[in-house]
């Protein structure tokens, strides 16, 4: 999971937080994604954190593209993108 990334010329920062209302939050005005370090009294797993990062980055993408937030789309896309990363094989080392 990155500490920051650039989308459409804006640098987004990714921070872990001990307490959040959910697994993650996306602050569009400040270009910040927050990821929960703990949920339900236990540490979040690396898998949960990465899925949350994908989810919140998709919300950032919606915002960047001027689209209305579509939670059903974001949740479905998160699962498919996570599956693609989890099942990826090999590397061309081009990026």
């Amino acid at each position: 999971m990155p500490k920051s990334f650039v989308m459409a010329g804006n640098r987004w920062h990714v921070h872990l937080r001990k307490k959040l209302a959910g697994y993650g939050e996306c602050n569009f005005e400040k270009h910040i994604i927050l990821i929960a370090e703990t949920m339900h009294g236990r540490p979040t797993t690396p898998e949960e954190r990465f899925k949350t990062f994908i989810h919140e980055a998709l919300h950032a993408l919606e915002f960047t593209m001027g689209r209305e937030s579509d939670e059903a789309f974001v949740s479905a896309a998160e699962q498919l993108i996570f599956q693609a990363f989890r099942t990826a094989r090999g590397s061309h080392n081009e990026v």
Side-chain angles (χ1 to χ4, degrees):
M1 184 173 62
K3 291 184 178 182
S4 73
F5 61 94
V6 174
M7 184 183 294
N10 293 304
R11 171 125 343 244
W12 287 77
H13 296 276
V14 181
H15 301 288
L16 295 175
R17 289 291 183 263
K18 292 193 186 303
K19 286 194 164 198
L20 290 177
Y23 281 94
E25 296 177 7
C26 186
N27 184 314
F28 305 120
E29 290 77 29
K30 294 182 179 180
H31 300 106
I32 294 173
I33 290 175
L34 302 176
I35 309 289
E37 286 184 325
T38 61
M39 277 300 290
H40 311 296
R42 63 162 181 78
T44 53
T45 66
E47 180 176 301
E48 288 171 326
R49 291 177 186 182
F50 187 59
K51 286 170 110 174
T52 302
F53 167 73
I54 293 169
H55 186 100
E56 299 305 332
L58 286 165
H59 281 303
L61 177 71
E62 287 178 318
F63 171 78
T64 299
M65 294 177 68
R67 299 180 61 94
E68 290 291 319
S69 183
D70 182 344
E71 192 65 31
F73 170 80
V74 167
S75 293
E78 165 209 319
Q79 295 299 319
L80 294 171
I81 292 169
F82 179 75
Q83 181 183 42
F85 275 102
R86 188 170 195 171
T87 61
R89 300 288 185 257
S91 173
H92 291 287
N93 295 320
E94 295 175 1
V95 178

